């Protein structure tokens, strides 16, 4: 696992620092997306808020993680698949927020639908967030 994290950093020409290793490892520790606040809390013992914020920004710029807007205006982040690169994200998938367990999932196989926009409007990014009950909470 540590090796995989180092590989990701190296592949993106990032030096391996304690904060980058720690924050990236959080994404491998659990399913679904991580809230900014959770990352801050989990990395907070060793790293200050500015470091956490900058590290996340760097990861987004490099195409390692993508941001997911949520209804309560907190930002969540999830790992990108291999086809994201620096400055180029290809995360055209729907996100699903389970209102029971509060986990945000990347539905990688569900492609964001095209929108028929009025003439003159060109969208550069479409975000679809579905809310409901996830498969793990369904039977409970
Ligand atoms: Zn991405
Ligand atoms: Zn759930
Ligand atoms: Zn996603």
């Amino acid at each position: 696992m540590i090796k995989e994290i180092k590989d990701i950093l190296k592949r993106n020409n990032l030096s391996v620092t304690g904060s980058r290793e720690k924050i990236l490892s959080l994404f491998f520790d659990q399913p679904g997306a991580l809230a900014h606040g959770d990352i801050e809390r989990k990395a907070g013992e060793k790293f200050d808020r500015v470091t956490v914020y900058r590290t996340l920004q760097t990861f987004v710029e490099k195409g390692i993680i993508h941001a997911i807007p949520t209804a309560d205006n907190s930002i969540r982040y999830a790992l990108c698949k291999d086809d994201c690169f620096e400055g180029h994200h290809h995360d055209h998938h729907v996100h699903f927020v389970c209102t029971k367990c509060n986990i945000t999932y990347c539905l990688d196989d569900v492609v964001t639908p095209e929108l028929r926009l009025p003439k003159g409007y060109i969208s550069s990014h479409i975000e679809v967030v579905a809310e409901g009950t996830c498969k793990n909470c369904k039977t409970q």
Side-chain angles (χ1 to χ4, degrees), residues 98-103 105 133-137:
C98 176
T99 51
K100 286 196 175 159
C101 63
N102 207 27
I103 291 177
Y105 298 90
T133 313
C134 79
K135 62 177 180 187
N136 299 321
C137 295

Side-chain angles (χ1 to χ4, degrees), residues 51-81:
T51 305
V52 172
Y53 179 80
R54 283 201 191 126
T55 304
L56 289 169
Q57 290 307 304
T58 304
F59 287 169
V60 170
E61 281 161 25
K62 289 288 186 181
I64 298 171
I65 59 173
H66 56 279
I68 307 158
T70 55
D72 60 1
N73 270 334
S74 67
I75 297 179
R76 286 170 186 260
Y77 298 94
L79 282 175
C80 290
K81 301 291 169 203

Side-chain angles (χ1 to χ4, degrees), residues 66 68 78-79 91 93-95 105-108:
H66 56 279
I68 307 158
L79 282 175
D91 307 290
H93 54 257
V94 170
H95 289 101
Y105 298 90
C106 289
L107 302 182
D108 295 313

